[in-house]
Amino acid sequence: MTPTETRTAPMDREHQEKPPPVGGPTEPETAERAGHHSATVATPGAQRRVLVVEDDPTIVEAIAARLRAEGFLVQTAADGPAAVETASAWHPDLLILDVMLPGFDGLEVCRRVQAQRPVPVLMLTARDDETDMLVGLGVGADDYMTKPFSMRELVARSHVLLRRIERAAVAATTPRPGSVRLGDLEIDRTQRRVRAAGKDIHLTPTEFDLLMCLARSPRAVLTREQLLAEVWDWADASGTRTVDSHVKALRRKIGAERIRTVHGVGYALETPPGFAGETGPRGQAAAEG
């Protein structure tokens, strides 16, 4: 997405939702200017920090208000440099990041933030362009949404990304031994590392979870809805495009021939001829997952 492109309408009236009125947390709002982030606004019992990076005041105010009503701590930034500076100083647990920003774009923000400290990223894009989505996933984004979007779905996906980080932290302290081997593809569950054809493959947390989900049932076809529910904890069929884009990104890294598409159904992880389940001295059956 180039800086000269015209931004599409941020959210249409059908999708735009107001934050809960009376009953939700109320905090004084801080006036924001382009390039400056707001002061942290705490809500009772809030634990998770979300940095919202968006230069459209209507969108950023709507997202921030809704997240605060959900109990999150929220800061905002309106351009690329401010986003990187805020992320470095504030250490958010989640980054909600628009692709098109002043200063430098969201893809560069994602690269710089991830280089400092890994953080889950939900990317927002004004174009339904799969190339943009794949580029976003390639620089470290975990998920994306296309404008206009449902505020309820954005909140749900934010919760999903944070739950995945929590599960990964628990798994790191109580790791399951063994590695799954499918021919020359090896998935180390303990270290969450992948090797293909003898080379280390860097996967995002979401890509690793997707590969592990497919590897639990080699050659079995999993529907998009099944993958969406198991990997994203999201049961709405409207999100199956997310599955398709992540599968494409995963194929680019481990080899397109390793994941078979069953048109109109879903995907299956291919295995070499004669594969019987699991190999390796430390391994357990892949079916145990």
Side-chain angles (χ1 to χ4, degrees):
M1 186 175 298
T2 64
T4 58
E5 289 176 324
T6 302
R7 179 184 296 277
T8 60
M11 283 188 280
D12 59 17
R13 294 183 179 275
E14 180 179 345
H15 287 83
Q16 189 171 2
E17 298 179 20
K18 296 181 180 179
V22 180
T26 57
E27 307 88 21
E29 297 291 333
T30 300
E32 300 176 29
R33 298 179 181 178
H36 294 78
H37 61 270
S38 67
T40 302
V41 182
T43 53
Q47 296 181 354
R48 292 300 188 179
R49 299 180 174 196
V50 182
L51 173 59
V52 181
V53 186
E54 166 65 65
D55 67 325
D56 187 304
T58 301
I59 298 179
V60 76
E61 289 169 12
I63 294 175
R66 183 60 178 264
L67 290 174
R68 287 169 184 150
E70 294 285 331
F72 291 103
L73 294 174
V74 181
Q75 285 200 17
T76 65
D79 63 34
V84 174
E85 179 184 355
T86 305
S88 177
W90 195 52
H91 301 302
D93 299 298
L94 173 66
L95 187 61
I96 297 178
L97 177 62
D98 188 28
V99 171
M100 191 166 66
L101 294 169
F104 45 78
D105 65 18
L107 300 176
E108 183 61 24
V109 171
C110 190
R111 289 189 190 95
R112 297 191 186 193
V113 170
Q114 297 289 20
Q116 294 175 356
R117 169 179 166 271
V119 59
V121 175
L122 173 58
M123 193 161 278
L124 307 178
T125 174
R127 297 197 320 180
D128 189 15
D129 188 324
E130 193 165 72
T131 300
D132 288 345
M133 298 169 189
L134 289 173
V135 172
L137 297 175
V139 298
D142 293 276
D143 201 357
Y144 67 86
M145 295 184 68
T146 302
K147 302 174 185 177
F149 53 79
S150 159
M151 195 67 72
R152 184 177 66 176
E153 182 175 351
L154 181 141
V155 171
R157 292 202 189 189
S158 298
H159 281 297
V160 165
L161 288 174
L162 290 169
R163 282 199 300 271
R164 182 179 300 129
I165 297 302
E166 292 169 358
R167 290 198 302 266
V170 171
T173 58
T174 57
R176 297 188 59 179
S179 59
V180 176
R181 290 191 180 91
L182 306 173
D184 61 357
L185 178 67
E186 180 177 357
I187 309 169
D188 188 323
R189 290 180 292 207
T190 302
Q191 300 183 50
R192 291 178 68 86
R193 298 178 63 179
V194 175
R195 289 176 63 83
K199 297 180 180 180
D200 288 323
I201 306 297
H202 173 72
L203 300 183
T204 67
T206 302
E207 289 167 350
F208 182 89
D209 290 344
L210 175 60
L211 179 59
M212 195 66 244
C213 184
L214 291 167
R216 292 190 187 107
S217 304
R219 293 185 176 171
V221 180
L222 299 181
T223 67
R224 291 172 174 82
E225 289 75 16
Q226 285 177 301
L227 292 169
L228 195 64
E230 292 189 35
V231 178
W232 283 266
D233 290 341
W234 183 249
D236 192 329
S238 65
T240 53
R241 180 75 179 278
T242 297
V243 177
D244 295 339
S245 293
H246 276 82
V247 167
K248 286 192 175 183
L250 184 58
R251 278 174 164 156
R252 291 171 65 180
K253 294 183 178 182
I254 68 170
E257 73 284 353
R258 298 182 192 274
I259 301 178
R260 176 168 54 95
T261 299
V262 179
H263 294 289
V265 182
Y267 300 98
L269 186 64
E270 289 293 84
T271 60
F275 173 75
E278 171 73 24
T279 64
R282 299 180 301 136
Q284 297 177 348
E288 291 179 355

